[in-house]
């Protein structure tokens, strides 16, 4: 009863915070407008006093510093005004205007986008990032800013509404620990913001968090701080949170920041890594321990895996699995030689790997949870939900974002996506999606599923041969 009281109180505060964010945005805009007015007034005063040709001392030329100062004031006021007119979301979904231009038509959105040099510059930089051949990051949802539409398809829908809190959310909804498939919060690439983002995600209803003992790309200790703070806020205990981390081999670490002794025996490296994870995450056990990738030989791979099995034996780890395994034969060999069978396969979900059709079927048949990353932003995936007219129509009719439609598609295939959003509104939308699914709603019917599968280059039957579909 005490726990439920804490939870209700905390979630009431959260809901109040949601309702207050609109007022906060309006206040920020007011501050920006006032700031712009002050800058312009200061510029006008300076200009009329020193540089318009009608000064009292007409024989004194305008000094370079005065000209520069005036130009800086003018630039400052222009930049601040431009900042008031654009909101940039960083989790791979939208680059929109004020309040994401709800209710605006597609043409109105495009006019604002084309007239804004900041957006044009961002799109140019983003295009360069996408074409530079770099290895994709595990949570590119947070890094890549999606392209604006180039055809008649509106990624949101001209009249789409994402619904309201009162439509879909209660004060106490959260994603159950035993939910499969489900969205899991991905903590990669969050750096110094990791604590606040993990805390935010759990506060809004996430209960599954994925990280790694790999300082190069994860701040595992900050994940520990984040879940502990959220638990304190909501009156939760350790058993209410599901934590997944990874052992990463020396080859995947920053050579200047390896969290274990790289000269130790391989099995000892694994033990030191797990000990570090337990300390970082402030816990006595780990719900899921994943090998971040296979070693360069089967002997080494099996040595790592068998050391991980020992942690399941003594109760330190609840389950184990493998990541970045794209060869079905390799997965089969590991499975056949494992004393404790893998419960997780976590892979990049993208076209170049044929969306792991055969691996996903193997996992489905053996009760292995298939987790996906790079779900929204992989080439091919982006086009399937962001600039797809059918998906825009589904989003408008179901009161969801187009990103949520793609998440629903993946979830209905039996996949658990890593969700790396850094945007609070998107985090809320994603939890609302999970609530609707948990309440028994089938977001997409078979024909809608088939349409999205076709946009990815497969028939629905080929894309998910492990499932049975009826018209």
């Amino acid at each position: 009863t005490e726990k439920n009281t804490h939870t209700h109180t905390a979630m009431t505060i959260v809901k109040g915070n949601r309702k207050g964010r609109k007022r906060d945005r309006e206040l920020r805009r007011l501050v920006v407008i006032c700031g712009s007015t002050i800058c312009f007034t200061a510029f006008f005063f300076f200009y009329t006093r020193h540089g318009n040709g009608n000064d009292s001392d007409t024989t004194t030329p305008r000094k370079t510093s005065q000209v520069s100062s005036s130009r800086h004031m003018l630039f400052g006021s222009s930049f601040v005004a431009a900042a008031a007119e654009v909101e940039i979301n960083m989790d791979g979904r939208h680059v929109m205007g004020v309040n994401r231009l709800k209710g605006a038509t597609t043409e109105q959105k495009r006019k604002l986008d084309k007239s804004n040099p900041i957006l044009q510059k961002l799109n140019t930089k983003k295009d360069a990032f996408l074409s530079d051949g770099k290895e994709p990051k595990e949570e590119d949802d947070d890094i890549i800013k999606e392209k604006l539409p180039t055809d008649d398809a509106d990624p949101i829908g001209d009249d789409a509404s994402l619904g309201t809190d009162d439509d879909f959310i209660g004060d106490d909804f959260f994603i159950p620990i035993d939910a499969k498939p489900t969205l899991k919060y991905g903590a990669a690439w969050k750096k110094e913001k990791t604590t606040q983002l993990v805390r935010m995600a759990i506060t809004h209803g996430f209960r599954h968090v994925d990280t790694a003992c790999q300082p190069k790309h994860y701040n595992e200790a900050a994940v520990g701080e984040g879940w502990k703070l959220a638990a304190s806020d909501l009156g939760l205990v350790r058993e209410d949170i599901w934590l997944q981390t990874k052992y990463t081999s020396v080859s995947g670490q920053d050579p200047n920041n390896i969290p274990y002794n790289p000269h130790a025996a391989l099995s000892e490296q694994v033990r030191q890594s797990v000990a570090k994870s337990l300390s970082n995450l402030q816990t006595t056990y780990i719900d899921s321990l994943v090998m971040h990738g296979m070693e360069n030989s089967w002997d080494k791979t099996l040595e790592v895996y068998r050391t991980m099995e020992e942690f399941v034996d003594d109760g330190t780890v609840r389950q184990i699995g493998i990541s970045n395994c794209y060869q079905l034969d390799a997965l089969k060999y590991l499975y056949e030689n494992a004393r404790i069978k893998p419960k997780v396969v976590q892979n990049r979900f993208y076209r170049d790997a044929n969306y792991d059709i055969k691996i996903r079927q193997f996992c489905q048949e053996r009760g292995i949870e298939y987790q996906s990353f790079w779900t929204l932003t992989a080439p091919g995936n982006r086009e399937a939900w962001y600039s797809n007219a059918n998906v825009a129509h589904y989003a408008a009719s179901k009161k969801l974002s187009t990103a949520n439609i793609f998440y629903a598609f993946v979830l209905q295939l039996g996949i658990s996506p890593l969700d790396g959003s850094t945007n609070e509104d998107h985090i809320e939308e994603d939890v609302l999606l999970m609530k609707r699914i948990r309440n028994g709603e089938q977001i997409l019917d078979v024909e809608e599923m088939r349409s999205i599968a076709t946009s990815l280059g497969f028939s629905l039957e080929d894309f998910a041969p492990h499932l049975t579909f009826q018209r």
Side-chain angles (χ1 to χ4, degrees), residues 20-39:
R21 280 202 306 275
K22 182 176 180 181
R23 293 193 300 270
D24 292 340
R25 285 195 295 266
E26 294 301 323
L27 179 60
R28 285 196 298 269
R29 292 187 66 195
L30 179 61
V31 170
V32 168
I33 292 170
C34 291
S36 300
T37 303
I38 292 171
C39 288

Side-chain angles (χ1 to χ4, degrees), residues 93 100 162 401 404 425-433:
R93 306 194 193 189
R100 298 161 77 182
L162 298 182
S401 69
N404 282 159
D425 288 337
H426 293 166
I427 288 173
E428 287 183 8
E429 292 168 13
D430 297 341
V431 173
L432 293 176
L433 171 66

Side-chain angles (χ1 to χ4, degrees), residues 214-231:
Q214 184 196 27
K216 182 178 181 180
H217 299 317
Y218 295 81
N219 189 340
E220 191 180 43
V223 171
E225 290 292 333
W227 86 258
K228 290 287 284 187
L229 287 169

Side-chain angles (χ1 to χ4, degrees), residues 61-74:
R62 188 174 184 178
K63 295 182 180 179
T64 302
S65 61
Q66 294 170 352
V67 175
S68 176
S69 297
S70 297
R71 287 175 178 171
H72 290 169
M73 290 178 186
L74 180 58

Side-chain angles (χ1 to χ4, degrees), residues 121-160:
K121 185 174 182 180
L122 285 171
N123 281 334
T124 300
K125 288 185 176 180
K126 186 266 305 168
D127 289 339
F129 174 82
L130 290 177
S131 62
D132 66 3
K134 291 181 179 178
E135 181 72 9
K137 299 179 179 181
E138 290 200 9
E139 289 304 331
D140 271 339
D141 295 4
D142 301 320
I143 306 300
I144 302 173
K145 292 165 281 293
E146 286 300 326
K147 286 184 178 180
L148 294 169
T150 56
D151 55 17
D152 292 334
D154 179 6
I156 299 299
D158 287 346
D159 302 314

Side-chain angles (χ1 to χ4, degrees), residues 360-373:
R360 289 190 290 109
Q361 183 175 3
F362 180 88
C363 291
Q364 181 77 16
E365 292 169 351
R366 288 158 182 80
I368 301 172
E369 182 181 30
Y370 180 91
Q371 300 174 5
S372 66
F373 61 90

